[in-house]
Amino acid sequence: MILIKAFAFGAILSATLGLVIGSQGSSAGPLAIHLVDIADARVYWSWPVFFSGSGLAFGLMLLQR
């Protein structure tokens, strides 16, 4: 259950940072932000931010147990 919550936090963080940085036309170097087509929507996404945000959230939730 903790892992699912961590993935949700990582997805929110990645979508938020991707929207802010990607809409300015930048890929932000190592963050590798790119435009992804999901159904009829276009979303800026970053896998490195998703995995690092999920790992950070997972570690913080484990520390709170």
Side-chain angles (χ1 to χ4, degrees):
M1 188 65 179
I2 293 175
L3 191 59
I4 294 170
K5 290 179 188 178
F7 283 158
F9 178 77
I12 291 169
L13 182 66
S14 180
T16 304
L17 281 177
L19 176 67
V20 171
I21 296 172
S23 64
Q24 300 297 318
S26 174
S27 67
L31 296 182
I33 295 173
H34 58 278
L35 192 60
V36 176
D37 293 325
I38 300 175
D40 291 335
R42 298 176 76 186
V43 179
Y44 288 100
W45 189 257
S46 172
W47 285 109
V49 173
F50 173 74
F51 289 126
S52 61
S54 296
L56 178 66
F58 184 74
L60 289 174
M61 285 186 238
L62 281 180
L63 285 173
Q64 291 178 351
R65 292 180 90 192

